[in-house]
Amino acid sequence: MFENLSQRFQDIIKKLTGKGKLSVEDVDAALKEVRIALLAADVHLSAVKAFSQNVREKAVAREILESLTPGQQVVKVVRDELTEMLGPGTGGITVSSYPNSLMLVGLQGSGKTTTCAKLARIFKKKGKSVLLVGLDLKRPAALDQLKYLAKQEGIPCFAEQGAGAQATTQKAQEYFRAHHFDLAILDTAGRLHTDSDLMAEVKAVQDTFRPAESILVLDATTGHVALSVAEEFKRWLDYDSIILTKMDGDARGGAALSCRYVTAKPIRYFGIGEKTDDLEPFYAERLASRILGMGDVLTLIEKAEEAFSLKQQEKVEQALLKEKINLSDFLEQMRGLGKMGDISGLLPSMPGLPQLAGAKLDEKMLKRWEAIILSMTLEERLYPEIINSSRKKRVSSGSGTSVQEVNILLKRFEQFKLMSKQVKKGVLPKFMRNIH
Amino acid sequence: MSWATKLKQTLAGLIARRTPLSSSQWEELQVLLLEGDLGPELAEQSLENLKASLERDATLEMALANLRAILLSLLPADEGLRLVNPPAAILFVGVNGTGKTTSIAKLAHSMREQGRRPLLVGADTFRAAAGEQLQQWATRLGLPFIGHEIGGDPSAVVFDAMEMAASRGLDPVLIDTAGRQHTTHNLMEELKKIKRVLGKKKAGEPQEVLLVLDANAGMNAIAQAQVFHETLGVTGLILAKFDSPARAGFLFSIARQWQLPTKFVGVGEKAENIRPFSAVEFLDQFLS
C-alpha cells in the first residue's frame, strides 16, 4: 500500500536532504511536489492545501532552515504534520460499558458486512458475547453473507428478511436484550450519501440502538468524492469514527487524509484483506511513516530529532546541564555566543573558564570552528573521542583548516565539557542566565 | 459551490482579463480538474492543450467548448457488445465491491428485454453469499442461474455453464467472478485460468472481458485497469455507481492509455438502472 505516494515522497526527501542549506524557495519547490504527490494519491484539494500551508509555516522557520540538517528537519515537519493530520492514532475501538452496540454505515461496496464480521471477531476474542445484526434488507443476499460469516466465526446472528427496516430494527433490539448479549454489531444497508430516504432510515437505527460508536466504513481507494461522502454522512448522522477498508491493494489512501481533515473523526482500524482477522488497529504515526517510505525515512527523522532537540535548547543553561556534551552542542553554543557580539569581555569574569577566555573568541575563529565541526560526520560530532589522526586529516582538508586547528578545537571542546560539569555543580548558572 | 460553477467562474475570470494567463491562474484551473479525479498529469496536459487552442479574445463558451473537445477526443468511440456465434461468454471482473454482481443483473435484465435468454453464472466461490446474491437476482428476474458452493472451483462452474448454455440455448453467458484486489497474484492467476478454461471449452471465448469500476474511485482505478488489462486483456469497462456525485475523471486516463471503451454506466440499484455509455452524456455530467 501507498507505494506510489511513498515513492514520490522519497524522491522529494532525497532532493531536500541532499542540500546542506535550504532556502525558502527550496521549501516551496518541494512543497509544490508534495502537493502534486498528495493529489495523485486522491487526497482532496482542501486537505492538500491545509497540509501544505501547515508544513510551510513550520518549515520556513529560522531554526529549521539554519539547523545543521535543514532537509531532515523539513522532512520531520512533513512527517509530524502527516501524523497530526491522520491522528489521533487511537488503535482500535474501546467500548467502555456493556451492553452496547456498534453501528456501521457507508456507501455500497465499501466493505461494511465483512468489516462487521471482523469487528465481531475482535470483541469475541476480548471475551464479549457478540450479536451480529443484519439490517441491510436491500442488497440481495446481504443477510446471507452476514449469516455465513457469522457461522464461520461461531458468532450469533440476527438477520431476518420480511418486515420493513423499522420493524426489523425493533425486533433486533428485542432479540439482543432478551438474550443478554454484550455487544450488537449493526450492519446497515449501503447507500449513496445523496439518498435522503435511506439516510433517514439509518438515522432511525441509530436512534433505536444508540450505539457506543457509529462508524463510517470507507473504501481506501475512494477518489475526491470521499470528502463529500464523509461530510454528507455526517450531516445525517453524527458518526463517531472511521474504518478504512481495502488498504491491501495499492490504495493510495488519500481518502484517509481527506476524511480526517473534513470530519476530524478518528480512524479506528484499517482492513487489509478478506479474511476475518484482516483488520488492523490504526496508528497515525505508523501510517504516516509508512506513507513516507518506512525505515529509511524513519532513521533519517530519528537523526533529525536528535539534532533538533539539541537545537531547541537555545538556552545555554539547559544544554550545559545535559549529561553528555558533544560537538554538536558545542557548535550550537558557540553560535549562540557568536550572536551575542563581543564576548571576550564577559568570559574572564566566568569562574573556571580562564583558558577558554584566553582563546579570544572572535567571529572569525567561530566561523573556522563551525567549518571544522560541519566537516565531521554525525558520529564524530556525537562521539568526538573516535576522531583519530586520519579523521583529523580528513576533517581539516574538508574544512580548509589545518590539523593543528582541529586539535585546538578538540582541546577547547574538552574545556567546554569541563565547564559544563561545573555548571552542573552550580558554579555557573547565574552567569548563564545573565547573558540570556 | 459546485465544481462546475467554480470551473466556469475561473474560466470566465481568466478570459475576461484578456491577458496572457499567469501560471498561478493555470494552477487554479488544474486544481479544478483535479477535483474531478482527472489526475495531476492529465489535468496539466489538458490545460496545456486548452491554452494552445485558445485565441486571445476567446469567450468562456469557447473555452468550455474547447475543453470539452479536448476531453472528448480522449475517449474511444462508443461501441456496444460485439457478440457472435452463441453462446457467447462475457467475463465480469473487478476489485471487491465495485458492483460486478449488480451490473450483471442489470445487464441481464436489459438483454432479456431485448429478447435474449442470458445465463447468470456465479463463479465467485470466494466471498460469502456472493453466489446467493446473483441467484436472488436471477430468481427476481426469472432467469436461469448456475453456481457452486463456497470454496468450489470457479473454473468448473464456468465449464458447466457453457455446457448448460449450449444445451438449453441460452445466450449470452454472464460470468460473475470473485472481486479481488488486482495486487493479489493468486486470485489474478485464478482469473486467467477461468479465461483459459473458457477458451478451451469453446474457441474464441470469452468474447468480452468487462472490467467493472466504481465511479467513486480515484486514481486507483487506473492501476486496477492496468493490472486487469495486462493480465486478462480487458475489452471494455462498466462504470458502476455513477449516480453518485463523483465525476470519474479517471476514465479519461484509462481511455487514453489503453484505448479501453466504456460500454455501460450503472446509475442505481434497480434492474433497469443501467444504460449504454455515451461519451457526450458523460462529458455533460463531467462538465455540467
Side-chain angles (χ1 to χ4, degrees):
Chain A
M1 82 181 83
F2 293 123
E3 274 99 6
N4 287 302
L5 188 52
S6 298
Q7 191 51 52
R8 281 182 192 247
F9 265 120
Q10 300 246 1
D11 291 345
I12 296 165
I13 287 165
K14 226 178 265 166
K15 272 186 218 163
L16 273 175
T17 51
K19 292 187 177 178
K21 280 270 171 209
L22 280 187
S23 65
V24 175
E25 288 75 34
D26 291 332
V27 174
D28 283 340
L31 276 178
K32 195 180 170 192
E33 286 180 52
V34 167
R35 280 198 295 274
I36 292 176
L38 290 173
L39 282 169
D42 297 326
V43 183
H44 193 274
L45 191 73
S46 53
V48 171
K49 274 186 177 162
F51 176 78
S52 135
Q53 233 164 38
N54 292 347
V55 170
R56 188 179 191 278
E57 232 164 68
K58 290 181 186 149
V60 298
R62 275 186 66 171
E63 60 262 35
I64 298 273
L65 293 184
E66 290 176 7
S67 67
L68 286 178
T69 50
Q72 291 170 12
Q73 304 294 356
V74 172
V75 173
K76 182 177 142 42
V77 172
V78 169
R79 204 265 317 239
D80 289 351
E81 278 305 311
L82 205 55
T83 310
E84 174 83 24
M85 214 163 163
L86 286 166
T90 51
I93 291 174
T94 318
V95 177
S96 53
S97 70
Y98 296 92
N100 222 323
S101 58
L102 299 172
M103 179 172 85
L104 279 69
V105 299
L107 296 183
Q108 300 99 324
S110 55
K112 282 178 300 302
T113 307
T114 308
T115 306
C116 277
K118 290 177 180 179
L119 276 178
R121 185 189 164 101
I122 288 172
F123 282 91
K124 190 190 173 193
K125 265 194 181 163
K126 289 182 181 171
K128 301 296 167 195
S129 64
V130 182
L131 176 68
L132 279 165
V133 180
L135 297 172
D136 182 355
L137 309 176
K138 245 184 145 246
R139 179 163 62 92
L143 296 181
D144 293 333
Q145 185 188 354
L146 190 67
K147 273 189 219 162
Y148 179 88
L149 291 169
K151 195 174 150 198
Q152 190 182 305
E153 293 300 317
I155 291 165
C157 178
F158 180 92
E160 279 185 16
Q161 196 81 46
Q166 211 177 343
T168 310
T169 307
Q170 294 288 355
K171 272 178 90 177
Q173 198 187 27
E174 282 159 24
Y175 184 87
F176 172 67
R177 284 181 179 158
H179 292 79
H180 305 291
F181 285 102
D182 292 327
L183 188 71
I185 295 178
L186 315 172
D187 185 20
T188 64
R191 57 207 69 223
L192 275 180
H193 50 297
T194 46
D195 185 337
S196 54
D197 287 349
L198 279 170
M199 291 302 269
E201 185 187 301
V202 79
K203 178 85 181 98
V205 175
Q206 190 186 36
D207 290 343
T208 306
F209 270 91
R210 304 204 164 276
E213 281 198 21
S214 303
I215 305 151
L216 177 70
V217 179
L218 193 85
D219 184 333
T221 61
T222 312
H224 275 69
V225 78
L227 190 93
S228 81
V229 172
E231 251 175 352
E232 199 65 17
F233 265 93
K234 199 178 163 192
R235 215 163 62 84
W236 279 97
L237 80 162
D238 194 21
Y239 55 86
D240 306 284
S241 56
I242 297 167
I243 291 180
L244 283 173
T245 57
K246 304 182 202 174
M247 295 268 279
D248 49 330
D250 50 3
R252 288 138 199 255
L257 284 163
S258 307
C259 287
R260 273 282 309 148
Y261 172 73
V262 68
T263 65
K265 301 291 183 195
I267 300 169
R268 298 295 196 204
Y269 296 95
F270 55 93
I272 49 160
E274 293 184 74
K275 300 268 184 275
T276 43
D277 54 352
D278 292 338
L279 194 65
E280 274 190 15
F282 178 87
Y283 294 99
E285 208 174 318
R286 287 188 205 168
L287 191 62
S289 301
R290 230 192 269 201
I291 289 176
L292 288 177
M294 301 174 157
D296 300 350
V297 179
L298 265 189
T299 330
L300 203 67
I301 288 168
E302 271 159 24
K303 280 184 193 161
E305 272 169 346
E306 211 162 355
F308 191 76
S309 65
L310 298 172
K311 173 75 194 171
Q312 268 187 328
Q313 290 155 6
E314 292 280 19
K315 289 182 183 161
V316 181
E317 232 174 68
Q318 279 176 16
L320 292 181
L321 285 169
K322 265 173 52 94
E323 269 304 319
K324 187 158 166 44
I325 302 291
N326 59 46
L327 275 166
S328 293
D329 298 308
F330 186 51
L331 181 61
E332 289 305 314
Q333 304 319 325
M334 288 304 120
R335 276 175 173 162
L337 291 173
K339 276 178 203 145
M340 280 182 268
D342 185 14
I343 52 167
S344 51
L346 279 172
L347 286 171
S349 64
M350 289 168 73
L353 263 189
Q355 296 104 320
L356 192 56
K360 277 187 213 151
L361 279 170
D362 60 57
E363 286 279 326
K364 249 190 196 162
M365 201 185 68
L366 280 176
K367 280 253 153 64
R368 294 181 82 80
W369 280 9
E370 195 174 322
I372 292 171
I373 294 174
L374 289 179
S375 299
M376 292 175 183
T377 65
L378 197 64
E379 200 189 358
E380 287 165 351
R381 286 178 219 175
L382 294 175
Y383 308 105
E385 54 273 22
I386 65 164
I387 302 174
N388 55 25
S389 60
S390 92
R391 282 177 191 260
K392 280 177 191 167
K393 233 181 188 166
R394 196 202 74 243
V395 169
S396 66
S397 67
S399 56
T401 56
S402 64
V403 172
Q404 207 180 359
E405 279 173 286
V406 175
N407 279 329
I408 291 172
L409 171 88
L410 289 172
K411 207 168 161 193
R412 295 287 173 257
F413 173 66
E414 285 307 312
Q415 291 166 348
F416 177 73
K417 268 190 358 193
L418 199 77
M419 177 176 88
S420 72
K421 269 185 196 149
Q422 285 172 315
V423 169
K424 260 160 74 184
K425 285 179 200 149
V427 184
L428 283 176
K430 193 164 172 246
F431 162 77
M432 298 318 286
R433 270 199 292 274
N434 285 343
I435 62 170
H436 268 267
Chain B
M1 198 189 320
S2 89
W3 178 90
T5 320
K6 268 195 278 179
L7 178 63
K8 272 184 193 157
Q9 280 186 0
T10 312
L11 278 171
L14 293 176
I15 284 146
R17 275 180 223 125
R18 293 201 180 179
T19 48
L21 305 166
S22 75
S23 62
S24 73
Q25 286 164 333
W26 279 100
E27 216 167 291
E28 244 177 273
L29 265 179
Q30 183 190 32
V31 147
L32 290 166
L33 287 177
L34 287 170
E35 287 196 340
D37 287 315
L38 199 67
E41 195 193 319
L42 188 55
E44 190 165 345
Q45 212 179 79
S46 307
L47 289 173
E48 284 301 315
N49 293 344
L50 176 63
K51 197 181 201 169
S53 76
L54 285 180
E55 302 282 329
R56 274 194 64 179
D57 54 352
T59 62
L60 167 63
E61 278 67 31
M62 287 163 84
L64 274 175
N66 284 9
L67 188 60
R68 164 187 271 272
I70 288 163
L71 292 174
L72 194 60
S73 71
L74 295 171
L75 299 174
D78 298 0
E79 303 170 72
L81 298 173
R82 288 162 301 175
L83 303 177
V84 291
N85 186 25
I90 307 177
L91 199 57
F92 293 79
V93 298
V95 302
N96 330 50
T98 53
K100 282 181 297 300
T101 307
T102 310
S103 297
I104 291 171
K106 290 193 272 194
L107 267 185
H109 173 75
S110 88
M111 284 170 172
R112 205 210 17 212
E113 298 282 289
Q114 293 158 22
R116 309 176 85 148
R117 292 187 65 211
L119 171 62
L120 301 184
V121 185
D124 180 353
T125 54
F126 188 77
R127 179 167 67 87
E132 283 89 333
Q133 187 182 350
L134 190 63
Q135 191 166 16
Q136 284 186 15
W137 269 113
T139 313
R140 211 185 274 184
L141 299 170
L143 289 170
F145 169 85
I146 180 171
H148 277 201
E149 288 296 301
I150 283 183
D153 179 2
S155 299
V157 185
V158 164
F159 189 93
D160 293 349
M162 291 307 281
E163 296 254 290
M164 178 175 165
S167 67
R168 289 175 51 185
L170 302 169
D171 174 69
V173 178
L174 308 178
I175 303 163
D176 192 14
T177 63
R180 59 207 69 218
Q181 292 297 319
H182 49 292
T183 46
T184 319
H185 181 73
N186 286 349
L187 286 170
M188 291 306 284
E189 287 302 311
E190 185 188 280
L191 273 184
K192 270 195 202 164
K193 188 180 162 198
I194 294 176
K195 195 184 170 197
R196 230 172 21 240
V197 167
L198 278 169
K200 266 190 201 160
K201 179 73 188 144
K202 180 166 173 274
E205 300 299 338
Q207 296 186 24
E208 297 272 4
V209 178
L210 300 181
L211 173 65
V212 181
L213 295 173
D214 186 334
N216 293 311
M219 295 297 100
N220 193 256
I222 300 169
Q224 292 167 22
Q226 177 172 11
V227 177
F228 276 100
H229 188 48
E230 280 169 4
T231 314
L232 294 165
V234 170
T235 61
L237 309 173
I238 295 181
L239 185 65
K241 308 183 201 172
F242 200 45
D243 47 337
S244 137
R247 319 193 72 87
F250 55 79
L251 272 196
F252 293 110
S253 294
I254 295 172
R256 188 183 56 148
Q257 285 184 47
W258 300 285
Q259 285 73 50
L260 287 178
T262 305
K263 305 216 171 187
F264 299 97
V265 182
V267 289
E269 292 182 317
K270 298 207 180 69
E272 59 274 18
N273 292 151
I274 195 160
R275 56 177 187 235
F277 177 80
S278 145
V280 173
E281 277 175 29
F282 179 72
L283 269 156
D284 283 346
Q285 193 161 339
F286 191 78
L287 294 173
S288 68

